[in-house]
């Protein structure tokens, strides 16, 4: 009898324990951290039949959006820019869920796509550039091993990029060609190797200085005066020597080739037999004289012949 009571009591307590355990929510996730654009957490206790929900928000008080594509214990968000976002994670079993566990705010040290901030100002023909961190996390983590590199190039030569690794800020550039368009961009160097993403691209035209503009106006004026003087001198010379120029430009008199061939050939006497006429008193023979007799026809009396 005692053994039977013991068995019944054990079964009762096991049943109560199972019911109590199934009605309890799962324990919340632990050790939430972000590294290299991956949100990670650990489970605490039994995670059978436990799933996790991840949400993010841009600022306190704003709505939370659900995160998709997560595995059981991590979320990879490298494909999107979640800088400045805050994550929260909770465990769920059936209709029961744990409390939300919130991560720290995403900073540059947590992602691989962080880019520096570029500031540019132009005073006269002098360009001042400054690279800034989006936050202080990289500086705290890497110290002086993380630096800025300035890239710049003419818009007409995008493949001819030049570098400036000066550590002084702002970087002052006064050797750029006035009147040309230049593009500027900062990126990170970590132990002299590219790190993260480059900053936004800024393209500006380098203005001329007042001295450069004055010099350009003077040179243009001098060239204009010289061209007008040369043109005026040519007109005066043409006016004074109009007849000589006209005579020089007049084409020479030339006899056509077929006329030359005709005039250079020898002329010959050609006799023309006229039809006989008994009633005619005198027969006439027309001959053609040579070029020396000016081609005048002669009339020869037949009776004298």
């Amino acid at each position: 009898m005692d053994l039977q009571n013991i068995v019944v009591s054990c079964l009762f307590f096991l049943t109560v324990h199972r019911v109590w355990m199934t009605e309890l929510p799962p324990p919340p996730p632990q050790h939430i951290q972000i590294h290299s654009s991956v949100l990670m957490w650990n489970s605490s206790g039994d995670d059978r039949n436990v799933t996790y929900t991840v949400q993010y928000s841009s600022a306190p008080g704003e709505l939370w959006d659900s995160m998709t594509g997560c595995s059981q214990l991590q979320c990879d968000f490298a494909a999107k820019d979640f800088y400045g976002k805050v994550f929260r994670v909770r465990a769920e079993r059936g209709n029961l869920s744990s409390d939300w566990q919130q991560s720290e705010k995403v900073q540059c040290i947590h992602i691989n796509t962080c880019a520096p901030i570029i500031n540019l100002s132009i005073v006269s023909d002098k360009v001042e550039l400054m690279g800034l961190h989006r936050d202080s996390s990289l500086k705290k983590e890497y110290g002086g091993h993380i630096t800025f590199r300035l890239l710049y190039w003419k818009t007409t030569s995008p493949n001819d990029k030049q570098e400036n690794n000066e550590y002084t800020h702002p970087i002052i550039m006064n050797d750029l060609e006035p009147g040309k368009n230049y593009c500027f961009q900062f990126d990170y160097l970590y132990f002299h190797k590219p790190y993260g993403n480059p900053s936004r691209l800024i393209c500006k035209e380098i203005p001329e200085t007042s001295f450069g503009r004055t010099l350009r106006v003077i040179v243009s004026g001098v060239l204009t005066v010289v061209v007008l003087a040369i043109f005026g001198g040519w007109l005066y010379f043409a006016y004074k020597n109009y007849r000589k120029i006209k005579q020089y430009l007049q084409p020479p008199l030339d006899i056509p080739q077929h006329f030359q061939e005709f005039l250079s050939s020898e002329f010959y006497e050609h006799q023309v037999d006229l039809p006989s006429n008994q009633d005619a008193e005198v027969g006439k023979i027309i001959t053609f004289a040579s070029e020396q007799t000016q081609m005048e026809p002669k009339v020869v009396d037949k009776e004298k012949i």
Side-chain angles (χ1 to χ4, degrees):
M1 187 67 178
D2 293 337
L3 181 60
Q4 184 178 2
N5 291 334
I6 294 173
V7 172
V8 172
S9 299
C10 290
L11 291 175
F12 174 77
F13 281 111
L14 287 174
T15 303
V16 171
H17 178 73
R18 181 174 296 180
V19 172
W20 179 73
M21 288 297 295
T22 56
E23 290 181 353
L24 286 177
Q30 302 294 323
H31 306 295
I32 298 177
Q33 56 184 336
I34 306 171
H35 181 69
S36 299
S37 301
V38 178
L39 174 68
M40 298 174 290
W41 61 90
N42 297 330
S43 64
S44 59
D46 186 9
D47 59 353
R48 289 178 298 177
N49 300 324
V50 173
T51 59
Y52 294 92
T53 298
V54 180
Q55 294 181 343
Y56 65 91
S57 177
S58 300
E62 292 191 3
L63 295 177
W64 291 87
D65 296 317
S66 295
M67 191 80 173
T68 59
C70 298
S71 61
Q72 182 65 8
L73 295 175
Q74 67 178 28
C75 274
D76 189 342
F77 57 91
K80 295 183 179 180
D81 185 13
F82 280 90
Y83 179 83
K85 303 291 192 297
V86 176
F87 295 100
R88 67 179 184 178
V89 186
R90 73 178 180 183
E92 297 176 352
R93 181 190 291 120
N95 295 328
L96 301 176
S97 59
S98 69
D99 294 333
W100 289 104
Q101 299 298 309
Q102 190 167 300
S103 72
E104 58 182 326
K105 189 176 181 178
V106 178
Q107 295 184 325
C108 282
I109 194 62
H110 301 134
I111 57 180
N112 297 327
T113 58
C114 196
I117 299 172
I118 179 172
N119 285 340
L120 181 147
S121 62
I122 299 178
V123 180
S124 185
D125 63 335
K126 183 173 61 176
V127 179
E128 294 185 2
L129 293 136
M130 181 175 290
L132 301 173
H133 295 286
R134 298 180 73 176
D135 55 59
S136 60
S137 60
L138 290 178
K139 197 69 176 177
K140 290 180 179 178
E141 182 70 19
Y142 301 131
H145 300 299
I146 190 80
T147 58
F148 296 108
R149 176 178 62 174
L150 173 63
L151 301 174
Y152 64 97
W153 61 92
K154 291 182 181 179
T155 55
T156 55
S157 305
N159 295 325
D160 187 17
K161 295 184 178 181
Q162 302 183 52
E163 297 184 10
N164 188 311
N165 296 324
E166 293 183 11
Y167 295 101
T168 58
H169 277 71
I171 297 175
I172 299 176
M173 307 180 69
N174 50 16
D175 57 347
L176 301 179
E177 186 176 353
K180 300 296 183 180
N181 285 301
Y182 284 82
C183 291
F184 305 91
Q185 192 173 51
F186 276 106
D187 65 356
Y188 280 123
L189 291 180
Y190 179 56
F191 282 105
H192 307 288
K193 293 183 180 180
Y195 178 91
N197 288 346
S199 69
R200 65 187 179 98
L201 184 66
I202 298 180
C203 296
K204 293 288 185 179
E205 180 181 354
I206 308 303
E208 291 182 314
T209 61
S210 58
F211 174 77
R213 287 192 295 269
T214 303
L215 181 62
R216 179 170 54 84
V217 171
I218 293 175
V219 171
S220 299
V222 170
L223 291 177
T224 302
V225 171
V226 170
V227 171
L228 290 177
I230 294 174
F231 183 71
W234 185 87
L235 290 179
Y236 180 78
F237 176 79
Y239 174 76
K240 286 294 185 179
N241 300 276
Y242 171 73
R243 293 186 177 181
K244 293 182 179 180
I245 294 174
K246 183 178 180 181
Q247 183 179 1
Y248 177 77
L249 296 177
Q250 185 177 3
L253 180 62
D254 194 8
I255 301 175
Q257 184 67 25
H258 61 283
F259 282 179
Q260 292 182 7
E261 293 177 356
F262 175 76
L263 296 176
S264 62
S265 61
E266 295 182 358
F267 291 91
Y268 59 91
E269 188 177 274
H270 181 70
Q271 181 176 351
V272 179
D273 294 333
L274 299 176
S276 59
N277 189 351
Q278 295 180 357
D279 297 333
E281 295 179 355
V282 180
K284 298 180 179 180
I285 299 176
I286 302 175
T287 60
F288 296 93
S290 62
E291 183 179 5
Q292 288 78 6
T293 59
Q294 298 181 358
M295 301 180 67
E296 294 182 357
K298 287 185 178 182
V299 179
V300 181
D301 193 350
K302 189 177 182 180
E303 291 181 352
K304 293 180 179 182
I305 296 174

